[in-house]
Amino acid sequence: MAKRSMVEREKRRIKLSKRMSAKRESLRNIMKSQEASMEEKLVASERLQKMPRDSSASRITNRCAITGRPKGFYRKFGLGRIKVREAAMRGDIPGLVKASW
């Protein structure tokens, strides 16, 4: 089980990222545009750097919905590898069976 504080930190990051995504995207577009002057690009770059680090989408870590474990995460199920295995053994995931050959 992950620390509660780590799970809450991830939730805060997700919320902040969603709230600031439009602003970050507009600043990035200014920096990439051919029409913008060099001064405008520098101002956009500085404003982007002054934004909170946690507002970046790349700082979000996928975590298991049950345990909060950050590693061994299956996107398809939203669970960690251990919980996917347990759910498969119980038959909670339709069509997923343990391999045997």
Side-chain angles (χ1 to χ4, degrees), residues 13-25:
R13 281 182 180 156
I14 291 167
K15 233 171 34 177
L16 187 62
S17 177
K18 285 181 182 176
R19 194 173 73 220
M20 302 282 232
S21 65
K23 189 173 182 181
R24 290 182 76 87
E25 189 64 32

Side-chain angles (χ1 to χ4, degrees), residues 37-76:
S37 67
M38 195 60 171
E39 292 79 27
E40 290 174 337
K41 289 182 180 185
L42 286 173
V43 170
S45 175
E46 287 173 5
R47 288 179 64 196
L48 188 64
Q49 289 173 5
K50 287 184 180 177
M51 291 180 79
R53 284 186 180 181
D54 285 343
S55 66
S56 174
S58 62
R59 289 183 60 101
I60 297 171
T61 305
N62 291 325
R63 288 184 174 269
C64 175
I66 299 170
T67 62
R69 181 181 166 85
K71 297 181 180 180
F73 179 81
Y74 283 84
R75 287 181 184 208
K76 185 173 183 179

Side-chain angles (χ1 to χ4, degrees), residues 63-64 67 69-75 77-88 93 96:
R63 288 184 174 269
C64 175
T67 62
R69 181 181 166 85
K71 297 181 180 180
F73 179 81
Y74 283 84
R75 287 181 184 208
F77 308 111
L79 300 172
R81 62 182 176 81
I82 298 163
K83 292 299 173 181
V84 168
R85 185 173 189 273
E86 289 174 3
I93 305 173
L96 188 68

